[in-house]
Amino acid sequence: MSQSAEDADVIVIGGGAAGLMCALTAGQRGRRVRVIEHANRVGKKILMSGGGRCNFTNTGTTAANFLSANPHYCKSALARFRPAQFIEMVERHGIAYHEKELGQLFCDESAKWIVRMLPDECEAAEVRIDTSCRVDGVDRSDGGFVVRTALGSMSARAVVVATGGLSIPSMGASGFGFELARQFGHSVLPTRAGLVPLTLSGKHQERFEGLSGVALPVSAQCNGQRFDNYLLITHRGVSGPAILQISSYWQPGDDLRLDLLPQTNAFDALKGLQAQRPAAELRTALAELLPKRFAERLCEVWFESRPIKQFNDPALRTIAAQLQDWPLVASGTEGYRTAEVTLGGVDTDELSSTTMQSKRVPGLYFIGEVVDVTGWLGGYNFQWAWASGVAAGEAV
Ligand SMILES: Cc1cc2nc3c(=O)[nH]c(=O)nc-3n(C[C@H](O)[C@H](O)[C@H](O)COP(=O)(O)OP(=O)(O)OC[C@H]3O[C@@H](n4cnc5c(N)ncnc54)[C@H](O)[C@@H]3O)c2cc1C
């Protein structure tokens, strides 16, 4: 079916996860839908997600896995489009997948199968997708909107803003959705990089010099949140799932603590090692509990390495307490260049939680990452993109 430039019911700005899901849902309902994507292909971020295998959902998704000024906002959409419904689509397309950990589902082979599935569904629903098409602006018109694009002006009854966040500008990220929201009188809550490596500087960085690549399980805690997973030392600071997760709860100056021996009573472990190998140096004993290079560095910078039998109980207790409540003094984050998500965004107070429609401007919708809803690491962000996309797709 050919569409003239003016006859779409719905124009979706942004052909990412949320936009494509919204478009195919609306198309299946018989709506004439046009997706406008400024990159040269749709779904670029999906392609690079999950290390190229796309962690496309998390079977344990609940509202508790998201950050938002209004923690209740995401509940309705998440309840109406569940991980099982996306899995059903994945299975219908014969895409093999597996559970990695904690309900995280990944493609067996490649994220490209998800990137192929969504436009295939769009095509079946007669959705028109224009790539390499810049959107210059959106204006209201009688009964709808005029979207000004590089291909000319297009009019539609409804406009869905699915332009994502600011992370990874090289993948097409833009602040366009936030500008559009402000233009139509919406508040945009301050944005910052989330799920992002932290940087260290000065003596805090020097103390970790040469340890890049060392990984260890930790429990990272900040502002009442706690994540148990791996920390990875990098050239610039620290990364790894535990750090990415806690980064979304951390801001410069906040107290961030690491338990370097999670699920272990460090004092009992040190006492045990003292009993087994009393003549061993502390650095050797610690290397039984921590990566060797890391244990050695601890004893070069923080602890005095003597035979462990020379430490009395109070001294061992002090070391144990430090290991289990280690202050990590980060100077900042690596920023949007490497962040997986953008925190903040379009204020949910001015959006309907059932349809994602603007309460200010009928016919205008905001979905996905552009909205102030940000998930943890582990497939939650895509589940929000699918669920919010479906909520709007069913309403437009
Ligand atoms: C490296 C990396 C790995 C990730 N891995 C995972 C993972 O495994 N699991 C998970 O759940 N989440 C993951 N995420 C997060 C996830 O990719 C996002 O949360 C999700 O893509 C958001 O969907 P969206 O549709 O809102 O935005 P996007 O997918 O970013 O789509 C927005 C689209 O809008 C387009 N656009 C922007 N401005 C304009 C404009 N002015 N005109 C036209 N088009 C425009 C962009 O080019 C883009 O295609 C990852 C993110 C990154 C960066």
Side-chain angles (χ1 to χ4, degrees):
M1 184 182 73
S2 78
Q3 289 174 318
S4 76
E6 287 80 29
D7 67 359
D9 293 323
V10 185
I11 291 178
V12 179
I13 306 177
L20 293 173
M21 198 66 186
C22 173
L24 69 90
T25 306
Q28 285 166 358
R29 292 173 54 239
R31 299 290 184 266
R32 292 161 308 154
V33 186
R34 199 158 172 173
V35 176
I36 309 293
E37 167 58 55
H38 71 170
N40 60 354
R41 56 183 299 181
V42 295
K44 277 192 163 182
K45 218 178 250 182
I46 303 174
L47 205 56
M48 73 187 300
S49 68
R53 293 203 168 161
C54 185
N55 178 192
F56 56 80
T57 192
N58 191 303
T59 55
T61 304
T62 71
N65 306 118
F66 294 85
L67 293 90
S68 172
N70 176 0
H72 303 293
Y73 178 78
C74 61
K75 286 182 179 170
S76 170
L78 291 174
R80 283 176 300 129
F81 188 79
R82 295 188 178 276
Q85 286 159 280
F86 192 78
I87 295 166
E88 187 275 320
M89 192 193 293
V90 168
E91 289 179 350
R92 188 155 41 79
H93 283 256
I95 301 173
Y97 64 90
H98 60 277
E99 180 170 354
K100 204 168 159 194
E101 54 174 310
L102 308 164
Q104 301 173 8
L105 302 191
F106 285 77
C107 296
D108 280 357
E109 236 176 71
S110 165
K112 76 177 181 210
W113 299 116
I114 302 289
V115 180
R116 199 165 292 181
M117 173 184 83
L118 296 168
D120 281 356
E121 289 276 333
C122 283
E123 194 182 341
E126 297 188 25
V127 170
R128 174 169 170 177
I129 299 177
D130 290 299
T131 53
S132 301
C133 181
R134 198 185 61 247
V135 177
D136 293 321
V138 178
D139 302 301
R140 288 185 87 168
S141 68
D142 287 347
F145 301 86
V146 173
V147 179
R148 286 177 280 115
T149 79
L151 293 175
S153 289
M154 307 168 185
S155 64
R157 237 181 351 90
V159 165
V160 181
V161 182
T163 46
L166 297 166
S167 1
I168 324 275
S170 57
M171 288 289 121
S174 79
F176 184 77
F178 303 128
E179 286 162 33
L180 209 58
R182 287 191 195 99
Q183 176 198 327
F184 284 105
H186 278 265
S187 317
V188 177
L189 300 179
T191 52
R192 63 191 166 89
L195 300 181
V196 63
L198 299 179
T199 52
L200 305 176
S201 61
K203 67 175 184 194
H204 303 290
Q205 188 190 19
E206 283 159 23
R207 286 168 171 175
F208 283 126
E209 217 159 78
L211 293 185
S212 167
V214 170
L216 62 152
V218 300
S219 176
Q221 298 184 46
C222 184
N223 290 320
Q225 276 293 331
R226 172 188 158 152
F227 292 98
D228 287 12
N229 213 313
Y230 275 83
L231 170 148
L232 172 72
I233 300 175
T234 70
H235 289 292
R236 302 185 60 196
V238 283
S239 185
I243 294 300
L244 296 180
Q245 296 279 34
I246 209 71
S247 73
S248 296
Y249 291 86
W250 178 87
Q251 298 213 51
D254 287 351
D255 189 34
L256 201 173
R257 302 261 157 182
L258 300 177
D259 181 347
L260 301 173
L261 291 171
Q263 274 105 47
T264 304
N265 181 317
F267 176 71
D268 288 351
L270 289 170
K271 280 296 282 178
L273 288 164
Q274 192 180 46
Q276 283 164 29
R277 302 169 62 189
E281 291 269 321
L282 179 65
R283 76 158 69 85
T284 316
L286 281 179
E288 302 276 318
L289 305 170
L290 293 159
K292 187 164 176 268
R293 283 162 66 201
F294 189 74
E296 283 170 354
R297 185 61 55 87
L298 289 180
C299 292
E300 281 159 28
V301 181
W302 288 278
F303 309 135
E304 198 188 335
S305 189
R306 306 179 254 131
I308 194 167
K309 66 182 173 200
Q310 294 180 12
F311 290 83
N312 60 18
D313 278 8
L316 281 188
R317 273 193 204 286
T318 304
I319 293 169
Q322 279 178 276
L323 291 172
Q324 303 215 272
D325 191 26
W326 191 269
L328 181 77
V329 185
S331 53
T333 76
E334 286 192 6
Y336 293 121
R337 193 179 55 81
T338 57
E340 286 203 9
V341 287
T342 301
L343 292 151
V346 180
D347 191 348
T348 59
D349 277 357
E350 296 155 346
L351 302 176
S352 155
S353 62
T354 47
T355 64
M356 312 287 128
Q357 185 171 203
S358 161
K359 289 179 186 171
R360 292 179 169 273
V361 184
L364 183 65
Y365 297 75
F366 292 89
I367 58 172
E369 203 179 314
V370 75
V371 179
D372 171 38
V373 174
T374 309
W376 292 357
L377 189 77
Y380 304 104
N381 283 295
F382 278 135
Q383 189 56 34
W384 168 246
W386 317 135
S388 59
V390 168
E394 283 173 348
V396 286

